[in-house]
Amino acid sequence: MIVGIDLGTTNSLIGVYDGGFVTLIADQGGRRLTPSVVHYPEEGEPLVGRAAERMRVLRPERTVFSVKRYMGRRIGEESPDMPYGLAGERGAPVQIDLGDRTVSPEEVSAEILRKLKADAERALGCAVDKAVVTVPAYFNDAQRTATKRAGELAGLEVVRIVNEPTAAALAYGLERMSENTRIAVYDFGGGTFDVSILELTGGVFQVLSTNGNTRLGGDNIDASLVRHLEEECGFVVTDPAARARLLEAAIEAKHRLSDAEETVVNLPFLESVSSSEFVLTRAMLEQIALPWVEKTRAHCLRALADANMEPSALDELILVGGSTRMPLVRRVAGEVFGRIPNCTRNPDEAVAEGAALQAAILEGTLTQVVLLDITPLSLGIETFGGLMNIILPRNSTIPCKAGEMFTNALPGQRAMLIRVLQGERELANDNWELGRFEIPFQPLPKGQARVGVQFEIDANGILSVLARDTATGLEQVVSMTSAVEVSDEAVEKMLGDALENAFEDMNARVFTEARLKAEEMLPSVAKALAMAGDRLSDQERARIMGCEAEVRDKLAGGAAQPLKKAVAALDEATQGLAALVMEMAMNPPPKGE
Ligand code: AMP
């Protein structure tokens, strides 16, 4: 069984698809939203979720929240003010400083995932060890890898990372809409705001653009509301515990005002003043929240501009994130995109629901939809020496395109064989060949021809490989059958083999690279030695020839590192010779000397 997880900045959820619908799993307290908060006591197991949330006021320096902001990040890239400290040199991966020890963001996230996993196992009565986990569309490779690693630490194999807006669109059933549906996903949560424009083509969601602000969310509204309440009371609350109660009262009132027009806020015995009561109307809250909500407008307009789209070209506007329960937020979002938002799903739960649906698709329980939005294995071509040269790495979001320039390895070569390969192994022959073709080019000295090779995968997973001789403009395009339709077992076997042979493979690559370098160097060193004649001291010549002999010996030996070292030593030893030969070429001796 594969579960779906929304690992959020503020809250996290876990769900599973069973018997035709998604069930989001509640914890022992009956709640489906688990606060993404971890408290580390001096001794004993960390507390996660609501229990940790309670410790946020009492032990802020040992209670980690919003850790998602630090996933895959390095010190100095982003350091918002948090009550807990960060550790590490500038440029090093972020570590969270708990005073007596440090933890990595992955470890903190792993605690949250471990709790979700345990809740699911209790509810389902079986082991849960595979998950689909969602991440923001703008997460880079390091942030995605860190998320996967958090899963591994929690004993979960992350079978797929899915973009949050894609998951939300899936929850809304938008994959069943007609082709070329364009969707805006407006995600206003507790701490962050994200907007994404997606397009559905050929059963695949493509993220056309994303924009947002990692410092904009319901938390800002809460802080402004707290300030307003303090003004009403006529004093500033400084005691942390009293502040926590005030904040809690403000948040509860804000939530009630999403349904009610007015509400009473009870502030019990703050700062030893007798308890007070205020009436707060929705209009007042909206006035307080408006400056924050208005800030989302510019991000939406930028996302539309980046996607090169007018609001009228959109087919759907969906709202995600707890703060979109506020009528004001719905109004502003609707206004920006010029349409009534689709609010038929629960905004806190849509992403987790989508993750569970994606899990069911991967499991094979849900078969009507195909949502193949990544390349399951790397794609590349064979280069000189029989090595795999990756052009599109595994897990690239499709549709995608990438290219690289290659040159001729032999002088006067008239054509280059393009062997299109799929797989994770270092040696070309260990990967699968998807096809091959030849691109002719004008004969030129070694290393001077320029052949551009471009890989493109369309929304249907069809790979087109284009090769072009830049000198003549002559090109060949070959389409390969679906590059994404690989059975899960085959992918698993390839990954397993790659892992199992990682050491040998890497050795083979290093050896081949060193061999190619050696084969290039030996003849040119011999030539240079002959040219230098007696201008090279006997001692220098002997040293170079010793290094040469060493390279030949190691070439025969077949071990990678010794050969690499011998080649490096020869390179080093011939620096003076190279300079001498260069100088001789520039200043030829006068005739007759
Ligand atoms: P999320 O990050 O998606 O879990 O959203 C959390 C944010 O949504 C917090 O700022 C909550 O205060 C806010 N939120 C949750 N429910 C409501 C509601 N009924 N009305 C207004 N805001 C809400």
PDB file of all heavy atoms in Angstrom, residues 10-11 188-191 218-219 222 251 254-255 258 321-323 325-326 348, ligand 1:
ATOM      1  N   THR A  10       3.069  24.430   7.782  1.00  0.00           N
ATOM      2  CA  THR A  10       2.340  24.592   9.036  1.00  0.00           C
ATOM      3  C   THR A  10       1.745  23.269   9.523  1.00  0.00           C
ATOM      4  O   THR A  10       1.866  22.904  10.683  1.00  0.00           O
ATOM      5  CB  THR A  10       1.168  25.589   8.853  1.00  0.00           C
ATOM      6  OG1 THR A  10       1.513  26.547   7.880  1.00  0.00           O
ATOM      7  CG2 THR A  10       0.783  26.232  10.149  1.00  0.00           C
ATOM      8  N   ASN A  11       1.077  22.571   8.604  1.00  0.00           N
ATOM      9  CA  ASN A  11       0.405  21.321   8.964  1.00  0.00           C
ATOM     10  C   ASN A  11       0.740  20.235   7.958  1.00  0.00           C
ATOM     11  O   ASN A  11       1.015  20.538   6.804  1.00  0.00           O
ATOM     12  CB  ASN A  11      -1.113  21.521   8.920  1.00  0.00           C
ATOM     13  CG  ASN A  11      -1.595  22.438  10.020  1.00  0.00           C
ATOM     14  OD1 ASN A  11      -1.387  22.178  11.198  1.00  0.00           O
ATOM     15  ND2 ASN A  11      -2.222  23.535   9.634  1.00  0.00           N
ATOM     16  N   PHE A 188      -2.908  29.700  -0.359  1.00  0.00           N
ATOM     17  CA  PHE A 188      -2.617  30.655   0.717  1.00  0.00           C
ATOM     18  C   PHE A 188      -2.714  29.899   2.043  1.00  0.00           C
ATOM     19  O   PHE A 188      -3.799  29.570   2.503  1.00  0.00           O
ATOM     20  CB  PHE A 188      -3.649  31.787   0.645  1.00  0.00           C
ATOM     21  CG  PHE A 188      -3.234  33.068   1.346  1.00  0.00           C
ATOM     22  CD1 PHE A 188      -1.918  33.313   1.701  1.00  0.00           C
ATOM     23  CD2 PHE A 188      -4.172  34.044   1.624  1.00  0.00           C
ATOM     24  CE1 PHE A 188      -1.546  34.500   2.325  1.00  0.00           C
ATOM     25  CE2 PHE A 188      -3.817  35.236   2.251  1.00  0.00           C
ATOM     26  CZ  PHE A 188      -2.497  35.460   2.606  1.00  0.00           C
ATOM     27  N   GLY A 189      -1.570  29.593   2.615  1.00  0.00           N
ATOM     28  CA  GLY A 189      -1.554  28.774   3.830  1.00  0.00           C
ATOM     29  C   GLY A 189      -1.282  29.594   5.066  1.00  0.00           C
ATOM     30  O   GLY A 189      -1.672  30.754   5.150  1.00  0.00           O
ATOM     31  N   GLY A 190      -0.563  28.970   6.023  1.00  0.00           N
ATOM     32  CA  GLY A 190      -0.266  29.646   7.280  1.00  0.00           C
ATOM     33  C   GLY A 190       0.940  30.565   7.150  1.00  0.00           C
ATOM     34  O   GLY A 190       0.941  31.684   7.640  1.00  0.00           O
ATOM     35  N   GLY A 191       1.987  30.048   6.494  1.00  0.00           N
ATOM     36  CA  GLY A 191       3.227  30.822   6.422  1.00  0.00           C
ATOM     37  C   GLY A 191       3.644  31.218   5.031  1.00  0.00           C
ATOM     38  O   GLY A 191       4.528  32.052   4.858  1.00  0.00           O
ATOM     39  N   GLY A 218      -1.377  33.227   6.653  1.00  0.00           N
ATOM     40  CA  GLY A 218      -2.294  33.492   7.747  1.00  0.00           C
ATOM     41  C   GLY A 218      -1.586  34.024   8.997  1.00  0.00           C
ATOM     42  O   GLY A 218      -2.157  34.807   9.755  1.00  0.00           O
ATOM     43  N   ASP A 219      -0.325  33.607   9.181  1.00  0.00           N
ATOM     44  CA  ASP A 219       0.433  34.059  10.353  1.00  0.00           C
ATOM     45  C   ASP A 219       0.520  35.580  10.399  1.00  0.00           C
ATOM     46  O   ASP A 219       0.478  36.185  11.470  1.00  0.00           O
ATOM     47  CB  ASP A 219       1.883  33.531  10.313  1.00  0.00           C
ATOM     48  CG  ASP A 219       1.942  32.015  10.409  1.00  0.00           C
ATOM     49  OD1 ASP A 219       0.893  31.415  10.709  1.00  0.00           O
ATOM     50  OD2 ASP A 219       3.020  31.452  10.179  1.00  0.00           O
ATOM     51  N   ASP A 222      -2.695  36.920  11.607  1.00  0.00           N
ATOM     52  CA  ASP A 222      -2.806  36.689  13.048  1.00  0.00           C
ATOM     53  C   ASP A 222      -2.040  37.758  13.826  1.00  0.00           C
ATOM     54  O   ASP A 222      -2.544  38.296  14.825  1.00  0.00           O
ATOM     55  CB  ASP A 222      -2.250  35.305  13.422  1.00  0.00           C
ATOM     56  CG  ASP A 222      -2.964  34.188  12.680  1.00  0.00           C
ATOM     57  OD1 ASP A 222      -4.072  34.444  12.162  1.00  0.00           O
ATOM     58  OD2 ASP A 222      -2.413  33.077  12.610  1.00  0.00           O
ATOM     59  N   ILE A 251      -6.611  33.689  16.624  1.00  0.00           N
ATOM     60  CA  ILE A 251      -6.755  32.713  15.531  1.00  0.00           C
ATOM     61  C   ILE A 251      -8.154  32.094  15.543  1.00  0.00           C
ATOM     62  O   ILE A 251      -8.810  31.981  14.509  1.00  0.00           O
ATOM     63  CB  ILE A 251      -5.667  31.615  15.632  1.00  0.00           C
ATOM     64  CG1 ILE A 251      -4.294  32.240  15.412  1.00  0.00           C
ATOM     65  CG2 ILE A 251      -5.920  30.503  14.637  1.00  0.00           C
ATOM     66  CD1 ILE A 251      -3.119  31.299  15.642  1.00  0.00           C
ATOM     67  N   LYS A 254     -10.569  34.528  14.174  1.00  0.00           N
ATOM     68  CA  LYS A 254     -10.404  34.634  12.714  1.00  0.00           C
ATOM     69  C   LYS A 254     -11.112  33.470  12.028  1.00  0.00           C
ATOM     70  O   LYS A 254     -11.838  33.672  11.050  1.00  0.00           O
ATOM     71  CB  LYS A 254      -8.901  34.641  12.375  1.00  0.00           C
ATOM     72  CG  LYS A 254      -8.606  34.666  10.897  1.00  0.00           C
ATOM     73  CD  LYS A 254      -7.118  34.546  10.596  1.00  0.00           C
ATOM     74  CE  LYS A 254      -6.633  33.109  10.636  1.00  0.00           C
ATOM     75  NZ  LYS A 254      -5.269  32.934  10.133  1.00  0.00           N
ATOM     76  N   HIS A 255     -10.936  32.279  12.555  1.00  0.00           N
ATOM     77  CA  HIS A 255     -11.576  31.109  11.947  1.00  0.00           C
ATOM     78  C   HIS A 255     -13.100  31.222  12.002  1.00  0.00           C
ATOM     79  O   HIS A 255     -13.774  30.951  11.020  1.00  0.00           O
ATOM     80  CB  HIS A 255     -11.135  29.817  12.649  1.00  0.00           C
ATOM     81  CG  HIS A 255      -9.693  29.481  12.385  1.00  0.00           C
ATOM     82  ND1 HIS A 255      -9.114  28.317  12.822  1.00  0.00           N
ATOM     83  CD2 HIS A 255      -8.711  30.155  11.750  1.00  0.00           C
ATOM     84  CE1 HIS A 255      -7.835  28.293  12.448  1.00  0.00           C
ATOM     85  NE2 HIS A 255      -7.573  29.405  11.808  1.00  0.00           N
ATOM     86  N   SER A 258     -14.869  33.284   9.375  1.00  0.00           N
ATOM     87  CA  SER A 258     -15.005  32.812   7.998  1.00  0.00           C
ATOM     88  C   SER A 258     -16.442  32.380   7.742  1.00  0.00           C
ATOM     89  O   SER A 258     -16.881  32.357   6.591  1.00  0.00           O
ATOM     90  CB  SER A 258     -14.051  31.647   7.730  1.00  0.00           C
ATOM     91  OG  SER A 258     -12.724  32.135   7.705  1.00  0.00           O
ATOM     92  N   GLY A 321      -5.126  25.659   0.749  1.00  0.00           N
ATOM     93  CA  GLY A 321      -4.536  26.301   1.928  1.00  0.00           C
ATOM     94  C   GLY A 321      -5.627  26.868   2.834  1.00  0.00           C
ATOM     95  O   GLY A 321      -6.629  27.415   2.364  1.00  0.00           O
ATOM     96  N   GLY A 322      -5.387  26.720   4.143  1.00  0.00           N
ATOM     97  CA  GLY A 322      -6.393  27.086   5.145  1.00  0.00           C
ATOM     98  C   GLY A 322      -6.900  28.520   5.035  1.00  0.00           C
ATOM     99  O   GLY A 322      -8.090  28.783   5.273  1.00  0.00           O
ATOM    100  N   SER A 323      -6.001  29.443   4.651  1.00  0.00           N
ATOM    101  CA  SER A 323      -6.417  30.844   4.641  1.00  0.00           C
ATOM    102  C   SER A 323      -7.418  31.163   3.536  1.00  0.00           C
ATOM    103  O   SER A 323      -8.058  32.212   3.577  1.00  0.00           O
ATOM    104  CB  SER A 323      -5.192  31.755   4.502  1.00  0.00           C
ATOM    105  OG  SER A 323      -4.372  31.580   5.635  1.00  0.00           O
ATOM    106  N   ARG A 325     -10.103  29.881   3.263  1.00  0.00           N
ATOM    107  CA  ARG A 325     -11.461  29.781   3.822  1.00  0.00           C
ATOM    108  C   ARG A 325     -12.019  31.165   4.095  1.00  0.00           C
ATOM    109  O   ARG A 325     -13.207  31.323   4.311  1.00  0.00           O
ATOM    110  CB  ARG A 325     -11.440  29.011   5.129  1.00  0.00           C
ATOM    111  CG  ARG A 325     -11.180  27.544   4.949  1.00  0.00           C
ATOM    112  CD  ARG A 325     -11.155  26.901   6.315  1.00  0.00           C
ATOM    113  NE  ARG A 325     -10.668  25.542   6.237  1.00  0.00           N
ATOM    114  CZ  ARG A 325     -11.445  24.492   6.035  1.00  0.00           C
ATOM    115  NH1 ARG A 325     -12.736  24.654   5.898  1.00  0.00           N
ATOM    116  NH2 ARG A 325     -10.935  23.291   5.973  1.00  0.00           N
ATOM    117  N   MET A 326     -11.147  32.146   4.143  1.00  0.00           N
ATOM    118  CA  MET A 326     -11.625  33.501   4.436  1.00  0.00           C
ATOM    119  C   MET A 326     -12.362  34.058   3.216  1.00  0.00           C
ATOM    120  O   MET A 326     -11.809  34.067   2.112  1.00  0.00           O
ATOM    121  CB  MET A 326     -10.446  34.436   4.774  1.00  0.00           C
ATOM    122  CG  MET A 326      -9.785  34.127   6.088  1.00  0.00           C
ATOM    123  SD  MET A 326      -8.425  35.264   6.453  1.00  0.00           S
ATOM    124  CE  MET A 326      -9.348  36.721   6.909  1.00  0.00           C
ATOM    125  N   ASP A 348      -7.668  22.684   3.041  1.00  0.00           N
ATOM    126  CA  ASP A 348      -6.479  22.188   3.764  1.00  0.00           C
ATOM    127  C   ASP A 348      -6.138  20.783   3.306  1.00  0.00           C
ATOM    128  O   ASP A 348      -5.089  20.264   3.643  1.00  0.00           O
ATOM    129  CB  ASP A 348      -6.692  22.014   5.279  1.00  0.00           C
ATOM    130  CG  ASP A 348      -7.589  23.032   5.878  1.00  0.00           C
ATOM    131  OD1 ASP A 348      -7.227  24.203   5.792  1.00  0.00           O
ATOM    132  OD2 ASP A 348      -8.643  22.637   6.417  1.00  0.00           O
TER     133      ASP A 348
HETATM  134  P1  AMP B   1      -2.336  25.564   5.912  1.00  0.00           P
HETATM  135  O1  AMP B   1      -0.902  26.066   5.909  1.00  0.00           O
HETATM  136  O2  AMP B   1      -2.867  25.312   4.557  1.00  0.00           O
HETATM  137  O3  AMP B   1      -2.539  24.431   6.849  1.00  0.00           O
HETATM  138  O4  AMP B   1      -3.217  26.777   6.463  1.00  0.00           O
HETATM  139  C1  AMP B   1      -3.126  27.211   7.760  1.00  0.00           C
HETATM  140  C2  AMP B   1      -3.658  28.607   7.829  1.00  0.00           C
HETATM  141  O5  AMP B   1      -5.035  28.614   7.496  1.00  0.00           O
HETATM  142  C3  AMP B   1      -3.535  29.179   9.217  1.00  0.00           C
HETATM  143  O6  AMP B   1      -3.087  30.520   9.137  1.00  0.00           O
HETATM  144  C4  AMP B   1      -4.960  29.113   9.719  1.00  0.00           C
HETATM  145  O7  AMP B   1      -5.224  30.124  10.685  1.00  0.00           O
HETATM  146  C5  AMP B   1      -5.752  29.353   8.457  1.00  0.00           C
HETATM  147  N1  AMP B   1      -7.117  28.845   8.558  1.00  0.00           N
HETATM  148  C6  AMP B   1      -7.523  27.594   8.832  1.00  0.00           C
HETATM  149  N2  AMP B   1      -8.868  27.538   8.899  1.00  0.00           N
HETATM  150  C7  AMP B   1      -9.318  28.788   8.685  1.00  0.00           C
HETATM  151  C8  AMP B   1     -10.632  29.395   8.655  1.00  0.00           C
HETATM  152  N3  AMP B   1     -11.728  28.680   8.879  1.00  0.00           N
HETATM  153  N4  AMP B   1     -10.699  30.715   8.380  1.00  0.00           N
HETATM  154  C9  AMP B   1      -9.585  31.451   8.195  1.00  0.00           C
HETATM  155  N5  AMP B   1      -8.348  30.950   8.218  1.00  0.00           N
HETATM  156  C10 AMP B   1      -8.205  29.635   8.454  1.00  0.00           C
END
